Amino acid sequence: MRRFLGRLMGAATLAVIPALLGLLAAILYTAPGHRLLGRLAGQELTAVLRGRFTLRQVRGSFLHSVEIDSLSVLDTLGQPFADIPRVSVRYALPGLLAGRIVLHDVEVDRPRLRVIKRANGRLNFQEILRLGEGTGNGGPGPLIEFQNLRIHDGRIELLVPWSPPDTARTAAQEAAALAA
């Protein structure tokens, strides 16, 4: 009976390993797999950071590089923060596993960023990245380093609320302060 169970477990293992390898290959090397990885990555980013992240496709070797198609980020109020058609990045997997985010040869095509200063004085990207909120453990934040960053045809829109100076009492005074 033991011999039969051993052979059965061996046969099951031999059947499961190729199935898992096939599943992994289907995810990593097919267009539907790339779209699935994009959805999963967007969900993970949304869970870790604030805002809503959408990625159409993620592809690459994943051991040392990745390419993202159509990354869009909505801020905490649902307003667009970033629209990036393509991001390509290389990295060292051992460094990532050790908690050091060092990205090499980062190439970003036609990024459109919209930075908005809120009435409370914080910028939308500070809210998305949770900057200035503290980590709770008092230690330094994680290392994030970009080496050889190339941006092709990028645009940044900066929206800052304007309030007239306290000395402006009429519409003409406000217009003069705005023109200065």
Side-chain angles (χ1 to χ4, degrees), residues 28-72:
L28 295 179
Y29 300 112
T30 65
H34 296 161
R35 287 191 295 274
L36 175 64
L37 283 175
R39 276 197 311 276
L40 292 174
Q43 290 171 356
E44 283 301 311
L45 285 171
T46 300
V48 172
L49 302 171
R50 288 199 182 120
R52 197 169 107 228
F53 294 78
T54 307
L55 295 84
R56 185 175 64 181
Q57 267 189 16
V58 178
R59 63 180 172 267
S61 72
F62 300 101
L63 295 177
H64 56 79
S65 66
V66 70
E67 187 172 319
I68 298 170
D69 284 342
S70 297
L71 168 64
S72 67

Short mmCIF file of all heavy atoms in Angstrom, two decimals, residues 28-72:
data_model
loop_
_atom_site.label_atom_id
_atom_site.label_comp_id
_atom_site.label_asym_id
_atom_site.label_seq_id
_atom_site.Cartn_x
_atom_site.Cartn_y
_atom_site.Cartn_z
N LEU A 28 3.31 34.63 -18.78
CA LEU A 28 4.47 35.46 -19.10
C LEU A 28 4.66 35.73 -20.58
O LEU A 28 5.26 36.73 -20.95
CB LEU A 28 5.74 34.82 -18.53
CG LEU A 28 5.83 34.73 -17.01
CD1 LEU A 28 7.12 34.06 -16.59
CD2 LEU A 28 5.70 36.10 -16.37
N TYR A 29 4.16 34.85 -21.46
CA TYR A 29 4.51 34.96 -22.87
C TYR A 29 3.33 35.09 -23.82
O TYR A 29 3.50 34.93 -25.02
CB TYR A 29 5.38 33.76 -23.28
CG TYR A 29 6.65 33.68 -22.48
CD1 TYR A 29 6.85 32.66 -21.57
CD2 TYR A 29 7.64 34.65 -22.61
CE1 TYR A 29 8.01 32.60 -20.82
CE2 TYR A 29 8.80 34.60 -21.87
CZ TYR A 29 8.99 33.57 -20.97
OH TYR A 29 10.13 33.52 -20.22
N THR A 30 2.14 35.39 -23.32
CA THR A 30 1.00 35.59 -24.20
C THR A 30 0.34 36.94 -23.90
O THR A 30 0.43 37.45 -22.78
CB THR A 30 -0.06 34.48 -24.05
OG1 THR A 30 -0.62 34.55 -22.74
CG2 THR A 30 0.54 33.10 -24.30
N ALA A 31 -0.33 37.50 -24.88
CA ALA A 31 -1.00 38.79 -24.70
C ALA A 31 -2.07 38.74 -23.60
O ALA A 31 -2.13 39.65 -22.77
CB ALA A 31 -1.60 39.26 -26.02
N PRO A 32 -2.92 37.70 -23.53
CA PRO A 32 -3.88 37.65 -22.42
C PRO A 32 -3.18 37.57 -21.06
O PRO A 32 -3.64 38.16 -20.08
CB PRO A 32 -4.70 36.39 -22.69
CG PRO A 32 -4.57 36.16 -24.15
CD PRO A 32 -3.21 36.64 -24.52
N GLY A 33 -2.06 36.87 -21.00
CA GLY A 33 -1.30 36.80 -19.75
C GLY A 33 -0.74 38.15 -19.37
O GLY A 33 -0.75 38.54 -18.20
N HIS A 34 -0.26 38.91 -20.37
CA HIS A 34 0.26 40.26 -20.10
C HIS A 34 -0.84 41.18 -19.59
O HIS A 34 -0.61 41.98 -18.68
CB HIS A 34 0.88 40.84 -21.37
CG HIS A 34 2.08 40.09 -21.86
ND1 HIS A 34 2.54 40.21 -23.14
CD2 HIS A 34 2.90 39.21 -21.24
CE1 HIS A 34 3.59 39.44 -23.30
NE2 HIS A 34 3.82 38.81 -22.16
N ARG A 35 -2.04 41.06 -20.15
CA ARG A 35 -3.16 41.88 -19.68
C ARG A 35 -3.55 41.49 -18.25
O ARG A 35 -3.85 42.35 -17.42
CB ARG A 35 -4.35 41.76 -20.63
CG ARG A 35 -4.12 42.51 -21.95
CD ARG A 35 -5.39 42.62 -22.77
NE ARG A 35 -5.88 41.33 -23.23
CZ ARG A 35 -5.47 40.70 -24.33
NH1 ARG A 35 -4.56 41.27 -25.10
NH2 ARG A 35 -5.98 39.54 -24.68
N LEU A 36 -3.54 40.20 -17.96
CA LEU A 36 -3.84 39.74 -16.59
C LEU A 36 -2.81 40.28 -15.61
O LEU A 36 -3.18 40.77 -14.53
CB LEU A 36 -3.86 38.20 -16.55
CG LEU A 36 -4.04 37.59 -15.16
CD1 LEU A 36 -5.40 37.95 -14.58
CD2 LEU A 36 -3.87 36.07 -15.22
N LEU A 37 -1.53 40.24 -15.97
CA LEU A 37 -0.50 40.80 -15.09
C LEU A 37 -0.71 42.29 -14.90
O LEU A 37 -0.48 42.81 -13.80
CB LEU A 37 0.89 40.53 -15.67
CG LEU A 37 1.42 39.12 -15.49
CD1 LEU A 37 2.75 38.95 -16.22
CD2 LEU A 37 1.58 38.77 -14.03
N GLY A 38 -1.13 42.99 -15.93
CA GLY A 38 -1.41 44.42 -15.81
C GLY A 38 -2.52 44.69 -14.82
O GLY A 38 -2.42 45.58 -13.98
N ARG A 39 -3.60 43.92 -14.91
CA ARG A 39 -4.72 44.09 -13.95
C ARG A 39 -4.26 43.80 -12.53
O ARG A 39 -4.58 44.53 -11.60
CB ARG A 39 -5.88 43.19 -14.33
CG ARG A 39 -6.79 43.78 -15.39
CD ARG A 39 -8.15 43.09 -15.46
NE ARG A 39 -8.10 41.65 -15.51
CZ ARG A 39 -7.92 40.92 -16.61
NH1 ARG A 39 -7.79 41.52 -17.76
NH2 ARG A 39 -7.90 39.60 -16.56
N LEU A 40 -3.51 42.71 -12.35
CA LEU A 40 -3.04 42.35 -11.01
C LEU A 40 -2.08 43.40 -10.45
O LEU A 40 -2.17 43.75 -9.27
CB LEU A 40 -2.36 40.98 -11.04
CG LEU A 40 -3.27 39.79 -11.33
CD1 LEU A 40 -2.45 38.51 -11.48
CD2 LEU A 40 -4.32 39.63 -10.24
N ALA A 41 -1.18 43.90 -11.29
CA ALA A 41 -0.24 44.93 -10.83
C ALA A 41 -0.99 46.20 -10.44
O ALA A 41 -0.67 46.84 -9.43
CB ALA A 41 0.80 45.23 -11.91
N GLY A 42 -1.98 46.60 -11.22
CA GLY A 42 -2.78 47.77 -10.89
C GLY A 42 -3.51 47.62 -9.57
O GLY A 42 -3.57 48.54 -8.77
N GLN A 43 -4.05 46.43 -9.33
CA GLN A 43 -4.74 46.17 -8.07
C GLN A 43 -3.78 46.22 -6.89
O GLN A 43 -4.10 46.76 -5.83
CB GLN A 43 -5.44 44.82 -8.12
CG GLN A 43 -6.62 44.79 -9.05
CD GLN A 43 -7.17 43.38 -9.25
OE1 GLN A 43 -6.64 42.40 -8.77
NE2 GLN A 43 -8.24 43.28 -10.03
N GLU A 44 -2.58 45.69 -7.07
CA GLU A 44 -1.59 45.71 -5.99
C GLU A 44 -1.13 47.13 -5.69
O GLU A 44 -0.99 47.51 -4.53
CB GLU A 44 -0.38 44.82 -6.33
CG GLU A 44 -0.66 43.36 -6.15
CD GLU A 44 -1.06 43.00 -4.73
OE1 GLU A 44 -0.37 43.41 -3.76
OE2 GLU A 44 -2.09 42.31 -4.57
N LEU A 45 -0.88 47.92 -6.73
CA LEU A 45 -0.47 49.31 -6.52
C LEU A 45 -1.57 50.10 -5.83
O LEU A 45 -1.31 50.92 -4.95
CB LEU A 45 -0.12 49.97 -7.86
CG LEU A 45 1.21 49.56 -8.47
CD1 LEU A 45 1.34 50.12 -9.88
CD2 LEU A 45 2.37 50.02 -7.60
N THR A 46 -2.81 49.86 -6.21
CA THR A 46 -3.94 50.54 -5.58
C THR A 46 -4.05 50.16 -4.11
O THR A 46 -4.41 50.99 -3.27
CB THR A 46 -5.25 50.22 -6.33
OG1 THR A 46 -5.11 50.66 -7.68
CG2 THR A 46 -6.44 50.90 -5.70
N ALA A 47 -3.71 48.92 -3.77
CA ALA A 47 -3.78 48.49 -2.38
C ALA A 47 -2.65 49.08 -1.54
O ALA A 47 -2.84 49.39 -0.36
CB ALA A 47 -3.73 46.96 -2.30
N VAL A 48 -1.47 49.27 -2.13
CA VAL A 48 -0.31 49.75 -1.38
C VAL A 48 -0.26 51.27 -1.31
O VAL A 48 0.06 51.85 -0.27
CB VAL A 48 1.00 49.22 -2.02
CG1 VAL A 48 2.22 49.84 -1.39
CG2 VAL A 48 1.05 47.71 -1.90
N LEU A 49 -0.61 51.93 -2.40
CA LEU A 49 -0.58 53.38 -2.46
C LEU A 49 -2.00 53.91 -2.46
O LEU A 49 -2.96 53.15 -2.42
CB LEU A 49 0.16 53.83 -3.72
CG LEU A 49 1.60 53.31 -3.85
CD1 LEU A 49 2.15 53.63 -5.22
CD2 LEU A 49 2.49 53.91 -2.78
N ARG A 50 -2.14 55.23 -2.50
CA ARG A 50 -3.48 55.82 -2.60
C ARG A 50 -3.77 56.16 -4.05
O ARG A 50 -2.88 56.34 -4.85
CB ARG A 50 -3.55 57.09 -1.76
CG ARG A 50 -3.55 56.81 -0.30
CD ARG A 50 -4.08 58.00 0.46
NE ARG A 50 -4.02 57.74 1.88
CZ ARG A 50 -3.34 58.44 2.74
NH1 ARG A 50 -2.65 59.48 2.34
NH2 ARG A 50 -3.35 58.12 4.00
N GLY A 51 -5.02 56.28 -4.37
CA GLY A 51 -5.41 56.57 -5.73
C GLY A 51 -5.81 55.30 -6.45
O GLY A 51 -5.98 54.25 -5.84
N ARG A 52 -5.96 55.40 -7.76
CA ARG A 52 -6.32 54.23 -8.56
C ARG A 52 -5.34 54.09 -9.72
O ARG A 52 -5.10 55.03 -10.46
CB ARG A 52 -7.75 54.37 -9.08
CG ARG A 52 -8.29 53.04 -9.56
CD ARG A 52 -9.77 53.08 -9.84
NE ARG A 52 -9.93 53.05 -11.29
CZ ARG A 52 -10.70 53.84 -11.98
NH1 ARG A 52 -11.42 54.75 -11.37
NH2 ARG A 52 -10.78 53.75 -13.28
N PHE A 53 -4.77 52.90 -9.85
CA PHE A 53 -3.76 52.61 -10.85
C PHE A 53 -4.34 51.65 -11.87
O PHE A 53 -4.95 50.65 -11.50
CB PHE A 53 -2.52 51.98 -10.20
CG PHE A 53 -1.81 52.92 -9.27
CD1 PHE A 53 -2.30 53.16 -8.00
CD2 PHE A 53 -0.65 53.56 -9.68
CE1 PHE A 53 -1.65 54.02 -7.14
CE2 PHE A 53 0.01 54.42 -8.83
CZ PHE A 53 -0.49 54.66 -7.55
N THR A 54 -4.12 51.94 -13.15
CA THR A 54 -4.57 51.07 -14.22
C THR A 54 -3.40 50.83 -15.16
O THR A 54 -2.76 51.78 -15.60
CB THR A 54 -5.73 51.71 -15.00
OG1 THR A 54 -6.76 52.09 -14.08
CG2 THR A 54 -6.31 50.76 -16.02
N LEU A 55 -3.14 49.57 -15.45
CA LEU A 55 -2.09 49.18 -16.39
C LEU A 55 -2.73 48.28 -17.43
O LEU A 55 -3.41 47.32 -17.08
CB LEU A 55 -0.98 48.41 -15.70
CG LEU A 55 -0.15 49.14 -14.66
CD1 LEU A 55 -0.82 49.12 -13.32
CD2 LEU A 55 1.20 48.51 -14.56
N ARG A 56 -2.52 48.59 -18.70
CA ARG A 56 -3.12 47.76 -19.75
C ARG A 56 -2.39 46.44 -19.89
O ARG A 56 -3.01 45.39 -19.98
CB ARG A 56 -3.16 48.50 -21.07
CG ARG A 56 -3.91 47.70 -22.14
CD ARG A 56 -4.06 48.43 -23.42
NE ARG A 56 -2.73 48.65 -23.99
CZ ARG A 56 -2.49 49.29 -25.11
NH1 ARG A 56 -3.48 49.81 -25.77
NH2 ARG A 56 -1.28 49.43 -25.56
N GLN A 57 -1.05 46.50 -19.94
CA GLN A 57 -0.25 45.29 -20.13
C GLN A 57 1.07 45.41 -19.39
O GLN A 57 1.62 46.49 -19.28
CB GLN A 57 0.09 45.09 -21.61
CG GLN A 57 -0.83 44.23 -22.37
CD GLN A 57 -0.28 43.93 -23.76
OE1 GLN A 57 0.89 44.11 -24.05
NE2 GLN A 57 -1.16 43.46 -24.62
N VAL A 58 1.54 44.29 -18.89
CA VAL A 58 2.88 44.20 -18.30
C VAL A 58 3.56 43.02 -18.97
O VAL A 58 3.01 41.93 -19.03
CB VAL A 58 2.81 43.97 -16.77
CG1 VAL A 58 4.20 43.82 -16.19
CG2 VAL A 58 2.06 45.08 -16.09
N ARG A 59 4.76 43.27 -19.50
CA ARG A 59 5.49 42.19 -20.14
C ARG A 59 6.98 42.38 -19.91
O ARG A 59 7.42 43.42 -19.46
CB ARG A 59 5.16 42.11 -21.62
CG ARG A 59 5.56 43.31 -22.42
CD ARG A 59 5.20 43.12 -23.90
NE ARG A 59 5.40 44.34 -24.63
CZ ARG A 59 4.49 45.26 -24.85
NH1 ARG A 59 3.26 45.09 -24.39
NH2 ARG A 59 4.77 46.34 -25.53
N GLY A 60 7.74 41.37 -20.21
CA GLY A 60 9.19 41.42 -20.05
C GLY A 60 9.70 40.10 -19.51
O GLY A 60 8.94 39.14 -19.36
N SER A 61 10.97 40.08 -19.15
CA SER A 61 11.54 38.85 -18.62
C SER A 61 11.19 38.67 -17.15
O SER A 61 11.22 37.56 -16.64
CB SER A 61 13.06 38.86 -18.78
OG SER A 61 13.62 39.78 -17.86
N PHE A 62 10.90 39.75 -16.45
CA PHE A 62 10.54 39.78 -15.03
C PHE A 62 11.70 39.40 -14.13
O PHE A 62 11.65 39.65 -12.94
CB PHE A 62 9.30 38.92 -14.71
CG PHE A 62 8.09 39.36 -15.46
CD1 PHE A 62 7.68 38.68 -16.59
CD2 PHE A 62 7.38 40.47 -15.06
CE1 PHE A 62 6.57 39.10 -17.30
CE2 PHE A 62 6.27 40.89 -15.77
CZ PHE A 62 5.87 40.20 -16.89
N LEU A 63 12.74 38.78 -14.65
CA LEU A 63 13.92 38.49 -13.84
C LEU A 63 14.86 39.70 -13.80
O LEU A 63 15.57 39.89 -12.82
CB LEU A 63 14.66 37.27 -14.39
CG LEU A 63 13.89 35.95 -14.31
CD1 LEU A 63 14.69 34.83 -14.96
CD2 LEU A 63 13.56 35.61 -12.87
N HIS A 64 14.84 40.52 -14.86
CA HIS A 64 15.72 41.68 -14.87
C HIS A 64 15.11 42.90 -15.58
O HIS A 64 15.68 43.98 -15.54
CB HIS A 64 17.06 41.35 -15.51
CG HIS A 64 16.96 40.78 -16.89
ND1 HIS A 64 16.75 41.56 -17.99
CD2 HIS A 64 17.03 39.51 -17.34
CE1 HIS A 64 16.69 40.79 -19.06
NE2 HIS A 64 16.87 39.54 -18.69
N SER A 65 13.95 42.76 -16.20
CA SER A 65 13.35 43.92 -16.86
C SER A 65 11.84 43.72 -16.99
O SER A 65 11.34 42.61 -16.94
CB SER A 65 13.96 44.14 -18.24
OG SER A 65 13.63 43.07 -19.09
N VAL A 66 11.17 44.86 -17.16
CA VAL A 66 9.72 44.84 -17.35
C VAL A 66 9.34 46.03 -18.22
O VAL A 66 10.02 47.07 -18.20
CB VAL A 66 8.98 44.85 -15.98
CG1 VAL A 66 9.11 46.18 -15.28
CG2 VAL A 66 7.54 44.48 -16.13
N GLU A 67 8.27 45.87 -18.97
CA GLU A 67 7.72 46.96 -19.78
C GLU A 67 6.23 47.06 -19.48
O GLU A 67 5.51 46.07 -19.46
CB GLU A 67 7.95 46.69 -21.27
CG GLU A 67 7.55 47.84 -22.14
CD GLU A 67 7.95 47.63 -23.59
OE1 GLU A 67 9.05 47.13 -23.84
OE2 GLU A 67 7.13 47.98 -24.46
N ILE A 68 5.80 48.30 -19.24
CA ILE A 68 4.40 48.56 -18.90
C ILE A 68 3.78 49.40 -20.01
O ILE A 68 4.36 50.40 -20.42
CB ILE A 68 4.30 49.31 -17.55
CG1 ILE A 68 4.89 48.46 -16.43
CG2 ILE A 68 2.87 49.70 -17.25
CD1 ILE A 68 5.06 49.21 -15.13
N ASP A 69 2.62 48.99 -20.49
CA ASP A 69 1.87 49.75 -21.48
C ASP A 69 0.69 50.42 -20.82
O ASP A 69 -0.05 49.80 -20.05
CB ASP A 69 1.34 48.84 -22.59
CG ASP A 69 2.42 48.43 -23.57
OD1 ASP A 69 3.47 49.10 -23.61
OD2 ASP A 69 2.23 47.45 -24.29
N SER A 70 0.50 51.69 -21.12
CA SER A 70 -0.67 52.46 -20.69
C SER A 70 -0.87 52.46 -19.19
O SER A 70 -1.83 51.90 -18.68
CB SER A 70 -1.93 51.97 -21.40
OG SER A 70 -1.82 52.17 -22.78
N LEU A 71 0.01 53.13 -18.48
CA LEU A 71 -0.14 53.31 -17.03
C LEU A 71 -0.90 54.61 -16.80
O LEU A 71 -0.52 55.66 -17.31
CB LEU A 71 1.24 53.39 -16.37
CG LEU A 71 1.28 53.87 -14.92
CD1 LEU A 71 0.55 52.89 -14.01
CD2 LEU A 71 2.72 54.04 -14.47
N SER A 72 -1.99 54.52 -16.07
CA SER A 72 -2.72 55.74 -15.69
C SER A 72 -2.96 55.71 -14.19
O SER A 72 -3.18 54.66 -13.60
CB SER A 72 -4.04 55.87 -16.45
OG SER A 72 -4.93 54.86 -16.06
#
